[in-house]
């Protein structure tokens, strides 16, 4: 965070595009300001590509005049329904909008918009740190307009609404998700009055589209320490509305003096561990959902205590429906998350015992090209406070990784995929595609993975003949 005088701000924004906007606005006799995130990020010394300009007048007219001034190198897009326009000039994009006053109906986040002043426009902004403006007109070029002390909140590290937070959040409930997102990204605290309003208005999130909510969740997940955002969502009551499956992890039951760990906070620890090593959004989603099946699988066993058998499979089966409901992509990204949730216990089981070649071969066969991400997730999942046990797991993970590297160098895809396929099996035994062919294919694959037979045609055919005779004797074929 760095403070700047108006003169210093004028030097910072003394760029071609801002001077061109200034001259255009002056020629048209209108006031214009760069506002919002671009101004905030100047003080936070963060790069920002989002340039938003408010015109006290018609933003579309100023954008059109700017395009004419810049010539053929500039591209203009006009969105009359929204009263906005965009000018692209090289790698720079500038959004123009007229200063406006907004009023809302309770059933919708779409406002009734009227022309307004700069003050009206700043009043409608979501947070004080996003309500600052810098004048672009030549006579006041670089002058900061900060009616809500956004600079003070940047210095103190607070997220606060310019006006009554109940009105701010009720008018546009998406701002509640944005509140938590900004707090997470900037590592700021949410002002007490603002936080209390989150809880009072949480139910209003139901009128927001799943796409908008998912977009904010993705930004929280991609933060440096995403756990902070999910704790805040849980504390204010939003999490139970946007991700009830994750909220369900926040419980600890005790029976006969035995308690299981809080899987919500364990999950967030795993997510942060992954975030320290990877920016892969979907790997982070896998970390967030890896134990999502535990509430449904939890059982009390008088001898073993609390168990969560098959929580990985139950969780993997939950992933598609969650992605569908939340309007997340239902393509290879979902399949990737589902696979990692399904397989996340496999390396841990291997690492808890003697690390055998057969187990590693099976793991590599099932994980395929995602094996490195799976290993990263599983190492992040070791959150035990027992340092001896933790050291044991991590040492065995090292051995697993060494064996994986060795198998990769030997071209594991060729080693693990039997060179006799289903078509050849059908020809050998005059079978039609069906259960019998599946049994035979699975049999030779298991044999190859267990290194019981060379992955060579003649050896596999002999094994198939023996298995087929056995199946005939048992009446399977």
């Amino acid at each position: 965070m760095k403070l700047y005088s108006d003169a210093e701000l004028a030097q910072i924004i003394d760029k071609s595009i801002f001077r061109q906007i200034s001259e255009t606005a002056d020629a048209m006799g209108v006031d214009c300001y760069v506002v919002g995130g671009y101004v905030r990020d100047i003080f936070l010394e963060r790069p920002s590509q989002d340039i938003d300009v408010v015109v006290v007048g018609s933003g579309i007219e100023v954008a059109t005049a700017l395009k004419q001034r810049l010539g053929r190198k500039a591209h203009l897009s006009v969105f009359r329904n929204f009263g906005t326009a965009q000018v692209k000039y090289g790698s720079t994009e500038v959004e123009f909008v007229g200063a406006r006053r907004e009023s809302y109906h309770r059933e919708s986040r779409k406002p009734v918009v009227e022309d307004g002043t700069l003050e009206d426009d700043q009043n409608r902004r979501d947070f004080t740190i996003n309500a600052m403006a810098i004048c672009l007109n030549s006579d006041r070029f670089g002058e900061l307009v900060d009616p809500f002390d956004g600079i003070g909140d940047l210095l103190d590290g607070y997220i606060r609404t310019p006006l009554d937070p109940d009105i701010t959040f009720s008018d546009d409930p998406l701002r509640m998700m944005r509140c938590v997102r900004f707090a997470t990204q900037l590592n700021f605290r949410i002002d007490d009055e603002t936080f209390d309003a989150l809880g009072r208005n949480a139910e209003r999130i139901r009128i927001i589209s799943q796409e908008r909510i998912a977009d904010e969740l993705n930004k929280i997940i991609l933060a440096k320490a995403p756990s902070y955002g999910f704790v805040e969502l849980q504390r204010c009551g939003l999490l139970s509305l946007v991700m009830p499956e994750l909220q369900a992890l926040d419980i600890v039951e005790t029976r006969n003096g035995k308690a299981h760990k809080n899987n919500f906070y364990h999950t967030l620890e795993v997510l942060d561990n992954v975030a320290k090593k990877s920016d892969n959004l979907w790997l982070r989603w896998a970390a967030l959902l890896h134990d999502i099946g535990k509430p449904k699988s939890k059982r009390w066993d008088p001898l073993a205590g609390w168990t969560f058998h098959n929580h990985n499979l139950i969780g993997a089966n939950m992933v598609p429906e969650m992605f569908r409901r939340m309007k997340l992509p239902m393509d290879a990204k979902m399949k990737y998350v589902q696979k990692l949730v399904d397989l996340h216990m496999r390396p841990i089981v291997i690492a808890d015992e003697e690390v055998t070649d057969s187990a590693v071969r099976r793991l590599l066969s099932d994980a395929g090209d995602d094996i490195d991400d799976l290993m990263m997730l599983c190492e992040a999942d070791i959150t035990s406070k027992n340092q001896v046990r933790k050291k044991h797991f991590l040492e065995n993970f090292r051995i697993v990784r060494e064996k994986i590297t060795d198998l990769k160098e030997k071209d594991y895809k060729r080693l693990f995929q039997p060179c006799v396929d289903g078509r050849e099996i059908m020809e050998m035994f005059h079978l039609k595609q069906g259960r019998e062919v599946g049994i035979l294919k699975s049999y030779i694959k298991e044999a190859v993975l267990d290194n019981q037979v060379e992955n060579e045609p003649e050896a596999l055919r002999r094994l198939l003949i023996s298995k087929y005779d056995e199946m005939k004797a048992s009446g399977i074929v």
Side-chain angles (χ1 to χ4, degrees):
M1 169 73 189
K2 188 171 181 179
L3 293 176
Y4 297 100
S5 67
D6 289 354
E8 289 171 324
L9 287 174
Q11 287 183 325
I12 290 171
I13 66 170
D14 191 12
K15 302 173 183 176
S16 171
I17 190 64
F18 290 123
R19 285 298 182 184
Q20 295 280 6
I21 296 170
S22 176
E23 292 172 11
T24 302
D26 285 348
M28 299 178 70
V30 296
D31 292 340
C32 72
Y33 303 82
V34 58
V35 298
Y38 190 87
V39 178
R40 177 199 67 223
D41 289 340
I42 287 175
F43 293 99
L44 291 175
E45 300 180 274
R46 300 198 319 169
S48 180
Q49 301 301 318
D50 299 325
I51 302 176
D52 293 318
V53 171
V54 165
V55 176
V56 184
S58 172
I60 292 175
E61 289 180 7
V62 173
T64 302
L66 177 66
K67 160 67 174 81
Q68 293 172 348
R69 176 182 287 268
L70 295 173
R72 287 184 296 176
K73 291 185 179 180
H75 177 74
L76 173 69
S77 299
V78 176
F79 310 97
R80 295 198 180 278
N81 287 346
F82 300 98
T84 64
Q86 180 190 74
V87 175
K88 290 185 180 181
Y89 185 60
S91 60
T92 302
E93 296 182 7
V94 185
E95 298 279 348
F96 289 85
V97 65
R100 58 194 188 185
R101 180 189 299 115
E102 294 178 345
S103 58
Y104 290 80
H105 295 296
R106 183 163 180 80
E107 295 75 22
S108 172
R109 64 179 291 263
K110 294 180 180 179
V112 176
V113 178
E114 302 173 277
D115 292 342
T117 64
L118 175 65
E119 181 182 1
D120 291 327
D121 203 88
Q122 290 178 299
N123 285 344
R124 72 178 182 84
R125 298 278 162 176
D126 51 7
F127 308 110
T128 59
I129 61 173
N130 295 334
M132 297 181 290
I134 298 174
C135 186
L136 296 180
N137 296 94
S138 58
D139 60 338
R140 297 167 52 210
F141 193 79
E143 178 184 312
L144 178 67
V145 183
D146 182 18
F148 305 109
D149 193 24
I151 289 294
D153 286 339
L154 283 177
L155 284 169
D156 295 336
Y158 273 98
I159 303 296
R160 183 168 58 90
T161 60
L163 302 178
D164 183 339
D166 283 304
I167 295 174
T168 298
F169 294 146
S170 180
D171 281 350
D172 184 355
L174 184 63
R175 290 169 176 164
M176 294 189 289
M177 295 296 298
R178 285 168 57 83
C179 179
V180 174
R181 187 251 292 183
F182 279 121
T184 309
Q185 288 178 326
L186 301 177
N187 194 27
F188 280 16
R189 283 186 58 196
I190 301 173
D191 164 74
D192 288 345
E193 186 179 351
T194 301
F195 184 85
D196 291 344
L198 290 175
R200 288 192 295 269
N201 293 276
E203 287 287 336
R204 292 280 290 154
I205 201 67
R206 296 186 188 278
I207 72 168
I208 301 299
S209 72
Q210 289 292 333
E211 292 90 345
R212 293 295 188 96
I213 293 171
D215 185 52
E216 294 299 326
L217 285 173
N218 284 340
K219 291 174 181 177
I220 291 171
I221 290 172
L222 285 172
K224 185 176 181 181
S227 63
Y228 177 54
F230 285 98
V231 169
E232 295 299 87
L233 288 173
Q234 191 269 350
R235 287 180 59 228
C236 72
L238 281 168
L239 187 64
S240 61
L241 299 170
V242 299
M243 282 191 72
E245 298 89 348
L246 191 60
Q247 173 72 40
L249 294 174
D250 186 24
I251 187 172
V252 175
E253 287 192 60
T254 303
R255 192 174 292 188
N256 292 350
K258 292 184 178 181
H260 60 79
K261 65 187 174 186
N262 186 306
N263 288 303
F264 176 68
Y265 289 101
H266 162 72
T267 290
L268 297 188
E269 188 175 353
V270 175
L271 175 59
D272 279 355
N273 287 343
V274 168
K276 291 172 186 175
K277 294 188 175 183
S278 174
D279 291 330
N280 181 338
L281 172 63
W282 305 108
L283 176 56
R284 293 186 183 202
W285 265 105
L288 188 66
L289 302 183
H290 79 284
D291 276 349
I292 209 73
K294 280 193 169 179
K296 291 185 177 181
S297 65
K298 184 169 68 175
R299 299 288 184 274
W300 169 255
D301 184 315
L303 297 178
W306 293 105
T307 66
F308 302 91
H309 295 313
N310 294 322
H311 75 271
N312 56 310
L313 179 60
I314 292 171
N317 290 336
M318 292 169 66
V319 169
E321 178 51 37
M322 289 183 68
F323 268 52
R324 187 176 294 108
R325 186 190 77 234
M326 299 173 71
K327 298 297 190 291
L328 290 163
M330 296 297 294
D331 54 14
K333 298 180 181 70
M334 184 278 289
K335 292 290 187 183
Y336 165 89
V337 173
Q338 185 180 32
K339 178 164 77 170
L340 293 193
V341 171
D342 184 21
L343 295 178
H344 83 270
M345 291 298 295
R346 289 274 292 281
I348 294 174
V349 172
I350 294 172
D352 200 22
E353 303 167 355
E354 181 184 354
V355 182
T356 66
D357 287 353
S358 175
V360 175
R361 288 162 70 93
R362 289 172 182 276
L363 175 66
L364 189 49
S365 174
D366 290 340
D369 293 336
D370 298 318
I371 184 65
D372 292 332
D373 288 351
L374 177 63
M375 291 301 297
M376 191 183 304
L377 171 60
C378 292
E379 287 168 350
D381 198 16
I382 305 303
T383 62
S384 172
K385 301 300 182 283
N386 184 326
Q387 293 304 312
V388 173
R389 183 164 171 77
K390 188 172 183 177
K391 184 177 179 181
H392 164 74
F393 271 117
L394 294 177
E395 173 60 21
N396 277 12
F397 274 140
R398 184 188 63 77
I399 297 171
V400 171
R401 282 190 177 275
E402 286 179 355
K403 290 181 179 292
I404 287 170
T405 299
D406 182 55
L407 286 167
K408 279 185 176 181
E409 290 174 354
K410 293 178 180 178
D411 188 3
Y412 73 92
K413 290 182 180 179
R414 183 183 61 80
L415 287 172
F416 297 164
Q417 187 61 43
C419 57
V420 175
D421 60 16
R423 183 178 298 277
E424 186 171 346
I425 291 172
M426 288 188 283
E427 291 175 355
M428 283 180 64
F429 303 111
H430 307 291
L431 295 171
K432 293 182 179 180
Q433 190 166 357
R435 184 173 70 96
E436 296 83 1
V437 175
I439 292 172
L440 291 166
K441 282 178 64 178
S442 178
Y443 181 72
I444 59 171
K445 181 177 181 179
E446 294 295 314
V448 169
L449 287 173
D450 284 336
N451 209 20
Q452 294 176 355
V453 63
E454 288 293 321
N455 192 5
E456 300 295 339
E458 288 306 317
L460 292 179
R461 289 182 189 122
R462 287 195 296 271
L463 194 64
L464 281 166
I465 291 169
S466 173
K467 180 63 175 177
Y468 182 77
D469 290 343
E470 179 186 314
M471 289 169 65
K472 280 187 72 173
S474 301
I476 296 175
V477 294

